[in-house]
Amino acid sequence: MTPRIHGGPDAQGVLPHDFSTCAHPLGPCPGAWQAVQAADARHYPDPDSTALRQRLAAHHGVAPERVLVAGSASEFIQRISAAALALRSGPVIVPKQAYGDYAAAAQAWGRPVVSAISADAAALRWCADPGSPCGQDDPVPHDLDAVPTVLDRAYTPLRVSGPSPWTPDDADAVFQLWTPNKALGLTGVRGAYAIAPRHAPALLMARLHALAPSWPLGAHAVTMLHAWCEPGTAAWLAGSLPALAQARAALAAGLAQRGFVLRPGAAPFVCARVPLRWQDAARALRDHGVAVRDCSSFGLPGHWRLNALPAASCTALWQALEALA
Ligand SMILES: Cc1ncc(COP(=O)(O)O)c(C=O)c1O
C-alpha cells in the first residue's frame, strides 16, 4: 500500500513557516473567514444541501443534479474510486507525478495503477489542472468519453501563469473536483464538491449517491462553499494573484540562487530538485520552524515542494538552509 503522506501540521502542530501545504499563502480570504466564524453549528445542515447545490450549480452554469457535495476532495477520491471500480474492471490511470491519494484509493481496492494504457481498458482515470507537486500542465486526453475521468481542480483557482489547457467543453465531459479550501486559505474547513460530466453514466451516479455519507458537509463547510460563490470572494482571489505570482518568483529566484533546480509549473507552489548538501535536511528544517514537502510520495525523490510564502518566511528558509549547509 502507498503510505498517505501530506504536508501541513503533524503531531508537533503548526510550524511558523509552513511551505509544505498549498493553501493560499496570502489567505485566508477575509469574507469567507468571517462567514465561517459566524457559521451556526447548532443544527444539522440540510442533508441534501439543496440551497448550496443550487448555488454551486448557478456558479458553474450547470443543472443542480450535476453537483455532488463531498466531505472533502479526499473523501470524494475514495468514493469515486469505490464506485467506479465496482462497475468496471481494469487498472486506474494516474499521471506519473500526482497527488498520492489517487493511487492509495485504487490500491485499497487491489487495483493496479498505471500512467499510460488504452482508456477503454481502464476503470478510472485521474487528471489535474494544474497538477501537483509541480503545478504542471499534463496533456488533455483526447478520448474523454472512453473511461470515467476525474479532473482535480484543487489548484485551478490559484493558477498564476498561462491558461488552462482544459477547454470548457473538455471539462464538461469529466468529473470536475473542486476543493476551494486551498484557494480560500481555509484548509481546516473540510468540504468540497464535484461537477458530474454532462453525460455521466447513470449507474456510476447512483453508486456515488449510495456511497455518500449522510450530512457529508458540516455547517462550516456549507458556509465556506456559499462564500466561495460570492462575487467578493472571486474579486479577492483575482486581486491576490499578482502578489502571489510575485511571491512565487521571489521564492523561485532564491532557490535557484542556492542551486535548486526548478521544474516548470503554473501554480503558486514550486517543485525543485534539492542540491546534494540539503538532500536530507527536510526533517532538520523543522527544528528551525520551517516545513517543506518532500516529493518522494509524488514519484519525485530528491525534490521538495514549497509554497510561495511571503518574504519573512523566505528569509527564515534561507537562514535555516544556511545553518544546515
Ligand atoms: C491535488 C489535491 N487534490 C486534493 C486534495 C485534497 O483536498 P481536501 O483538503 O479537500 O481533502 C489535495 C490536498 O492537498 C491536493 O493537493
Side-chain angles (χ1 to χ4, degrees):
M1 292 283 162
T2 307
R4 270 192 255 167
I5 295 165
H6 296 294
D10 59 12
Q12 264 78 54
V14 185
L15 289 184
H17 309 288
D18 187 358
F19 290 84
S20 72
T21 82
C22 299
H24 196 316
L26 308 175
C29 167
W33 179 215
Q34 226 170 20
V36 164
Q37 285 174 299
D40 182 357
R42 292 172 302 168
H43 313 285
Y44 280 102
D46 166 13
D48 297 324
S49 304
T50 315
L52 176 62
R53 285 179 39 247
Q54 279 168 356
R55 187 132 189 227
L56 290 166
H59 188 67
H60 288 277
V62 300
E65 297 70 46
R66 288 177 61 186
V67 178
L68 297 152
V69 296
S72 61
S74 304
E75 186 269 315
F76 190 78
I77 290 167
Q78 290 292 339
R79 187 172 5 141
I80 197 164
S81 299
L85 303 191
L87 295 171
R88 286 173 70 110
S89 56
V92 175
I93 304 175
V94 172
K96 270 209 172 89
Q97 270 92 48
Y99 181 50
D101 277 31
Y102 315 146
Q107 287 167 357
W109 293 96
R111 285 300 168 90
V113 170
V114 296
S115 61
I117 191 179
S118 161
D120 34 4
L124 180 66
R125 171 169 56 193
W126 289 95
C127 302
D129 170 36
S132 189
C134 304
Q136 72 275 15
D137 280 325
D138 294 321
V140 178
H142 54 88
D143 50 0
L144 291 172
D145 291 324
V147 57
T149 298
V150 189
L151 175 62
D152 187 337
R153 308 208 85 161
Y155 303 119
T156 301
L158 289 169
R159 178 178 279 277
V160 287
S161 60
S164 166
W166 287 78
T167 65
D169 205 46
D170 293 335
D172 214 36
V174 301
F175 285 89
Q176 297 175 64
L177 179 54
W178 294 90
T179 172
N181 65 3
K182 287 142 215 14
L184 297 175
L186 290 170
T187 44
V189 183
R190 315 295 301 144
Y193 61 97
I195 307 289
R198 60 183 171 243
H199 302 306
L203 276 178
L204 180 55
M205 288 299 281
R207 286 270 172 158
L208 285 167
H209 285 297
L211 286 169
S214 295
W215 300 286
L217 300 173
H220 296 89
V222 172
T223 303
M224 177 185 72
L225 294 175
H226 271 292
W228 175 238
C229 302
E230 288 290 335
T233 300
W236 172 82
L237 191 56
S240 72
L241 293 182
L244 212 47
Q246 248 173 27
R248 183 192 197 279
L251 173 65
L255 289 169
Q257 211 183 333
R258 288 163 178 82
F260 286 76
V261 181
L262 286 121
R263 293 191 156 234
F269 48 86
V270 299
C271 180
R273 182 151 52 76
V274 182
L276 264 184
R277 59 185 162 149
W278 289 308
Q279 277 287 332
D280 299 319
R283 282 243 124 251
L285 278 175
R286 300 187 77 88
D287 298 333
H288 293 258
V290 174
V292 297
R293 175 74 156 88
D294 182 274
C295 292
S296 306
S297 70
F298 290 105
L300 278 176
H303 290 67
W304 294 346
R305 188 190 66 195
L306 300 102
N307 203 4
L309 298 194
S313 290
C314 288
T315 303
L317 171 64
W318 310 142
Q319 286 171 350
L321 286 175
E322 193 63 33
L324 295 171

